[in-house]
Amino acid sequence: MDTTAEGSGREPRSFGFRSRICAGLAALAIAVALVPLADASESDLRLVGYFDRRNADSVTDADGNIVIDHHLGKAFQINNDPKPALTEYSLDTLAPGRRLAIPPMVAAETRAGRVEWLTSLDPVGHRLFAFERDVDAVPENYKLFNIDLRAMTVSPSVTLWPGADRIPLAISYHPLSDRVYILTRVSNLDAAGSLLFLEERRTNGDEVWTYRLAPCFSALDQQYPPTLARSIIDPSNIYLNCYNSGGTQSQIVRVRLGPDGTVISGGEDVYAGMPRTLSTMFDPGSDRMFFLTTNSGAGRGVWVFDGLRSTFLGVIASGDTGNGALDYSMGLDPVTGRLYLHTPVGLLVSDGRRLPLGGGLLFRQYAQFGVGTIVVDPLNRRVFVPDSLTLNRNLRPARYIIVKDELAAFLPQSAGDPDSLTSDVEERPEVTRVNISAAGRSFAARTLSTGGLQRGAWNLAIGQVAPEEFELGRDGIRTVPLDDRNRDIYGARVRSVSLTNDSADAMSLMGQADEGTLKDLNQADIDWPFEVAECQDDGKKPSNGSANDGMAGASCDSAAHVAMASASAPGFPGADPSLISAKNLFAQSSVVRDPTQGLVSRSTASVYGLSLLGGKVRIGQLVSEATARAKGRPGTANATFTRTIFQLEIDQDGDGTYEFRCDVCDPAAAQENINRALVGVATISFPEPDGAYYPLGSPKGFQSVVEKDRFNFYSDRALNDDDSKEVAGAVLSFPFDARAGRSRLTVQLAAVQAEAHYGIYVIPQTLAGVPSLGTGAATFVESPTFERGAVSVMEFVPPEVTPAGPVQVVIDKIVEKIAQGARLFVSNPGDAVLFAAFWGLLILPAYLMQRRRLIGVP
């Protein structure tokens, strides 16, 4: 580059003005793209040293693990050298201190070996609870003891099961109740499938109660002991993870306690997790469980279950796309909830308590496969990461890498205030204008097959055996000759109706299929029989659309401020009739601007003659209706949602007599009785809308919305690849997960969505400091607060509101379009950063040229 030419202000011929603009745009685009990685520097997570694990050649894989009591300011390492001992270390200096002889301890049996000691810390009383393994007893017996970490003394061991019929799998101390909870299995049954029990005991070992965990058949995790924790936020709940009868589908089991502290009979909530899960951790500060998985079919990273909201929130992606089984490790800061994930592509740091979940920051300089447990020192913000580059003959790291976490706190996200787009003024001709936007969607039935037919066939055919373990020709297993992707089929769907200031649009279909299904049909020379009915009016002429002999229709009239569409279909799409069938389907959505109510969006969906499991459950009619209204003034925004279940009949044993009947049914009673009939096959639920802008809407009347609860949305998107916002009248779930990965069939019935946005704004009388042709006058005052170099930025004081002049029509159009564009930020505030970056790319050249002129640069 010619530095002389650049320094003198002359443009070098080889690097002209146009090139500079292009380079500037490219640089800005790169800067925008790298924003998420800008903070991921070595100074934010820097290496500060190493911590050796004593007795590195011990035959016990768990030997050398550490426990941190940050309130006491100490770390404690457990090792055999050659006899069991506990060594104390200062968290400030990491210098060793006292050493205590302890009984032989029990290490958790996991699929990766005995990699973790079965211990639980009392952070208030500074005690460490553990099991003594009585190796001289035949059969082996187990005893409970605890270590006073302040005095460095050991309590006498107490025998827990004199008959030696139980094996401990997990232990957890609950400080609020001063109780110890233990997960056990019967000792004379195989570890992969046995009877599991949950016990509550006093700290001296006395039994309080024992409860059989009926949903749990296995608790053998890959790398860590099973999660077991009684909630501190809601002590009536105990969380644990285990596996279903196949041993391949992980699940969260929440055991509910009554007022007397004992388990409520049948008080178990079961939530399906991910197949082939690696391990789990529990955050007591948020009641969240973190499922660590390296299964690429389920999404490689950490899946987050929120116990307070009873749903999965999504996945914190690892950034790793490679194949591997035990190549991750995880850690959790118990104070901040910050999550650490060690992978072959780096060390990922994320906020585990954030809502919605964030992606975190990846530090690639620490890339190596993870092993063991990451331990966090909240007092000094140091993270102890097992160093997999120092594995010994027992495949156990001989030391920890210590990194200092100096990252700032992750800031919470804000959705903004939608009412900022409406003014608390009465509508007046020539003084105010309105900015309207409304939409509605509905469908009668949807069948979503997550994982596709290929994976589902593998799971149903071979269950616990992974596809890669078969040779197709030799073992006689054939793949399904169909496109391997999710299947998504709708029956009677209104894909959208929308209305704005100057346009009306609508679209409906009798049936809609995903690309994979269409591809399979095309290869078989079969045409999809359902066409789209659509209409569009941009203010010029009303239009109508019809398809499939009037089974789908749409009508748009922008001048009359109305858009509507409907669709109907006989029968049920994309599902086995022996599982589910229906006689007729119907869906309708409309948007109207009403002089009295303002903007009104309404959606209705119905299913007639619904039959489940060959008639075991029958519903005469299921109807859902959603209505959203808004008129831009305080108290005018509101919404309604109704669900009606007509003529429910349940023949649970199939003998022709109905054990339960109701003409107009309560959803809670219907759910309980239907699930009893569907047990072992499917589950049904009746979800409610999100409560953010339902039923009252925003306080100043800008918007009301009826749509899927946002936490259910996060869960459906993460678990089932479902991005739909409609609130279903009923949801049926058929799980087929196994070794081939996720394979779920989800059926949504009578689903509706409606939203209305109505903004009132005063007509502006000036633009960019130029006085309008109205009667008002513009006034400028110099504001020294906004000094920038030698240029003073002027602050504009608008005149009083007056009727618009002749030239104002053009200005009003521009302002109106800008206001319409602002709706996107309300409906989808998460996209605001992307649009800001986009407009930054467009505006930068003009800004740079104007600035050059102001400071006198030619």
Side-chain angles (χ1 to χ4, degrees):
M1 180 182 293
D2 186 346
T3 56
T4 304
E6 183 182 37
S8 62
R10 292 182 282 111
E11 297 288 350
R13 188 166 298 181
S14 61
F15 195 60
F17 178 74
R18 182 175 299 177
S19 299
R20 298 180 73 178
I21 291 299
C22 293
L25 292 176
L28 182 58
I30 293 171
V32 171
L34 294 180
V35 165
L37 301 177
D39 293 333
S41 65
E42 293 188 19
S43 61
D44 292 322
L45 197 70
R46 56 189 175 87
L47 178 66
V48 294
Y50 301 89
F51 184 77
D52 291 332
R53 298 175 65 161
R54 295 169 59 95
N55 199 26
D57 292 328
S58 170
V59 293
T60 303
D61 295 344
D63 202 36
N65 288 164
I66 60 174
V67 175
I68 289 180
D69 185 341
H70 66 276
H71 293 293
L72 197 59
K74 303 288 185 180
F76 300 90
Q77 184 174 166
I78 305 167
N79 46 69
N80 296 293
D81 53 355
K83 294 183 178 180
L86 184 92
T87 305
E88 173 191 77
Y89 293 84
S90 167
L91 280 183
D92 292 329
T93 64
L94 294 181
R98 295 173 292 179
R99 193 162 174 269
L100 175 69
I102 59 176
M105 289 178 57
V106 176
E109 295 291 341
T110 70
R111 298 182 194 274
R114 295 186 295 164
V115 297
E116 292 291 319
W117 296 112
L118 282 182
T119 63
S120 184
L121 177 69
D122 169 13
V124 179
H126 307 292
R127 294 174 293 179
L128 185 67
F129 292 90
F131 294 106
E132 177 184 354
R133 188 173 187 175
D134 190 352
V135 294
D136 295 328
V138 180
E140 288 188 6
N141 208 336
Y142 299 92
K143 300 178 181 180
L144 179 70
F145 70 94
N146 69 76
I147 303 170
D148 187 328
L149 298 176
R150 286 174 297 191
M152 290 291 280
T153 58
V154 182
S155 69
S157 297
V158 178
T159 299
L160 298 179
W161 306 285
D165 62 340
R166 302 287 175 85
I167 295 177
L169 305 177
I171 183 172
S172 176
Y173 173 78
H174 186 247
L176 297 183
S177 62
D178 194 30
R179 293 287 191 269
V180 175
Y181 295 88
I182 303 173
L183 178 65
T184 67
R185 68 174 175 87
V186 176
S187 60
N188 60 355
L189 294 178
D190 183 75
S194 61
L195 300 178
L196 299 186
F197 293 87
L198 177 62
E199 301 182 9
E200 178 182 278
R201 292 181 177 267
R202 296 182 177 89
T203 55
N204 62 3
D206 290 346
E207 180 182 341
V208 180
W209 51 257
T210 298
Y211 183 76
R212 161 80 191 284
L213 292 166
C216 297
F217 292 84
S218 173
L220 194 62
D221 270 7
Q222 290 284 357
Q223 190 163 314
Y224 307 146
T227 290
L228 170 63
R230 183 176 179 182
S231 173
I232 295 175
I233 300 174
D234 183 359
S236 64
N237 292 326
I238 298 177
Y239 294 90
L240 57 94
N241 72 298
C242 61
Y243 294 84
N244 63 6
S245 57
T248 57
Q249 173 64 59
S250 63
Q251 55 190 18
I252 301 102
V253 176
R254 181 171 59 196
V255 178
R256 287 179 277 127
L257 304 180
D260 60 352
T262 61
V263 179
I264 299 173
S265 179
E268 299 164 338
D269 301 317
V270 182
Y271 305 93
M274 305 307 301
R276 303 169 67 182
T277 296
L278 183 65
S279 287
T280 61
M281 284 187 174
F282 182 81
D283 177 20
S286 63
D287 272 20
R288 291 185 178 181
M289 289 180 69
F290 300 94
F291 283 71
L292 176 61
T293 175
T294 58
N295 174 17
S296 58
R300 297 170 68 84
V302 179
W303 292 76
V304 184
F305 177 81
D306 191 317
L308 300 178
R309 299 170 176 87
S310 302
T311 186
F312 272 91
L313 298 178
V315 60
I316 300 174
S318 65
D320 180 21
T321 58
N323 294 318
L326 299 173
D327 52 6
Y328 284 17
S329 63
M330 180 169 56
L332 184 69
D333 187 327
V335 175
T336 66
R338 183 164 287 185
L339 190 73
Y340 300 89
L341 181 64
H342 200 201
T343 78
V345 298
L347 182 60
L348 183 76
V349 184
S350 182
D351 182 2
R353 296 176 184 172
R354 188 172 181 175
L355 191 66
L357 294 176
L361 298 173
L362 183 64
F363 294 83
R364 298 183 182 273
Q365 64 268 32
Y366 303 110
Q368 59 177 266
F369 68 89
V371 60
T373 302
I374 298 174
V375 185
V376 181
D377 166 19
L379 184 68
N380 299 294
R381 300 186 68 175
R382 286 181 297 193
V383 184
F384 293 74
V385 183
D387 187 356
S388 62
L389 299 182
T390 63
L391 294 184
N392 60 20
R393 59 186 174 87
N394 298 313
L395 300 181
R396 182 173 56 85
R399 67 181 184 183
Y400 290 94
I401 301 169
I402 306 176
V403 295
K404 178 83 169 180
D405 183 353
E406 296 181 338
L407 285 165
F410 292 95
L411 297 177
Q413 293 180 329
S414 174
D417 178 17
D419 281 330
S420 62
L421 294 182
T422 188
S423 302
D424 188 8
V425 296
E426 184 180 351
E427 292 183 54
R428 292 168 56 192
E430 304 299 328
V431 176
T432 62
R433 292 251 177 115
V434 298
N435 181 32
I436 63 172
S437 171
R441 293 191 293 266
S442 58
F443 60 82
R446 180 190 186 195
T447 304
L448 174 62
S449 173
T450 304
L453 302 181
Q454 175 82 64
R455 191 179 298 170
W458 271 107
N459 285 336
L460 290 174
I462 58 179
Q464 299 185 43
V465 183
E468 60 268 19
E469 296 176 20
F470 273 90
E471 292 184 17
L472 298 181
R474 187 195 70 184
D475 295 304
I477 303 296
R478 295 289 184 267
T479 60
V480 179
L482 296 174
D483 189 76
D484 187 19
R485 71 180 88 184
N486 293 350
R487 299 309 173 96
D488 196 2
I489 301 177
Y490 290 85
R493 184 185 190 192
V494 176
R495 198 152 71 185
S496 67
V497 295
S498 64
L499 182 68
T500 66
N501 284 42
D502 51 13
S503 68
D505 301 88
M507 182 182 300
S508 64
L509 308 92
M510 186 177 171
Q512 179 180 334
D514 59 279
E515 293 182 1
T517 298
L518 295 177
K519 178 181 176 181
D520 291 332
L521 293 175
N522 182 60
Q523 290 179 346
D525 293 325
I526 300 174
D527 293 329
W528 181 252
F530 306 122
E531 300 174 343
V532 177
E534 58 184 325
C535 63
Q536 182 178 16
D537 177 15
D538 58 2
K540 298 177 181 179
K541 183 180 179 180
S543 67
N544 297 285
S546 180
N548 294 108
D549 297 326
M551 298 292 283
S555 179
C556 302
D557 191 337
S558 178
H561 299 291
V562 60
M564 62 179 61
S566 64
S568 59
F572 202 92
D576 185 344
S578 65
L579 293 178
I580 183 169
S581 63
K583 294 181 179 179
N584 195 21
L585 309 173
F586 177 75
Q588 183 180 58
S589 295
S590 64
V591 180
V592 178
R593 183 179 177 186
D594 182 86
T596 304
Q597 301 183 70
L599 206 55
V600 182
S601 174
R602 179 176 287 111
S603 292
T604 303
S606 303
V607 178
Y608 300 88
L610 181 66
S611 175
L612 306 178
L613 300 188
K616 181 178 286 190
V617 178
R618 298 177 185 272
I619 298 177
Q621 185 179 3
L622 175 65
V623 183
S624 301
E625 182 173 350
T627 304
R629 306 176 185 86
K631 204 181 178 186
R633 298 298 306 282
T636 63
N638 59 82
T640 60
F641 173 79
T642 59
R643 173 194 294 111
T644 311
I645 307 167
F646 294 103
Q647 299 174 335
L648 169 63
E649 299 175 334
I650 300 178
D651 178 9
Q652 187 166 342
D653 53 13
D655 63 355
T657 59
Y658 299 112
E659 287 79 18
F660 181 84
R661 299 185 64 168
C662 56
D663 291 329
V664 180
C665 307
D666 172 62
Q671 178 171 319
E672 179 181 353
N673 285 278
I674 294 175
N675 279 331
R676 189 175 293 121
L678 301 180
V679 65
V681 179
T683 59
I684 194 170
S685 62
F686 298 97
E688 292 295 319
D690 188 82
Y693 300 106
Y694 160 87
L696 297 180
S698 59
K700 294 183 180 179
F702 176 75
Q703 75 177 16
S704 63
V705 181
V706 181
E707 65 183 15
K708 181 187 292 184
D709 175 83
R710 62 188 181 279
F711 302 114
N712 288 339
F713 172 77
Y714 298 148
S715 177
D716 289 345
R717 182 173 60 182
L719 293 179
N720 301 323
D721 302 332
D722 177 11
D723 284 324
S724 66
K725 289 292 188 72
E726 293 91 334
V727 185
V731 178
L732 281 154
S733 299
F734 299 83
F736 303 113
D737 288 353
R739 288 289 300 277
R742 288 185 300 165
S743 178
R744 294 94 183 267
L745 180 66
T746 305
V747 177
Q748 302 171 20
L749 304 170
V752 291
Q753 186 267 352
E755 60 180 297
H757 310 271
Y758 197 107
I760 302 174
Y761 64 95
V762 178
I763 300 174
Q765 299 303 298
T766 59
L767 182 65
V770 179
S772 74
L773 298 182
T775 58
T779 305
F780 293 89
V781 294
E782 186 170 340
S783 174
T785 307
F786 296 96
E787 291 287 339
R788 285 178 176 81
V791 181
S792 296
V793 180
M794 298 307 214
E795 185 180 45
F796 174 65
V797 180
E800 296 181 0
V801 176
T802 59
V807 180
Q808 193 63 34
V809 175
V810 177
I811 298 174
D812 291 345
K813 287 291 184 182
I814 295 174
V815 174
E816 185 175 345
K817 292 297 181 183
I818 294 174
Q820 289 178 12
R823 291 196 314 272
L824 178 61
F825 289 83
V826 177
S827 301
N828 217 344
D831 290 341
V833 174
L834 296 178
F835 276 88
F838 172 73
W839 282 108
L841 290 173
L842 297 181
I843 293 171
L844 179 66
Y847 167 76
L848 292 176
M849 286 188 293
Q850 179 65 15
R851 180 169 177 81
R852 287 167 64 91
R853 291 193 184 98
L854 290 174
I855 62 177
V857 177

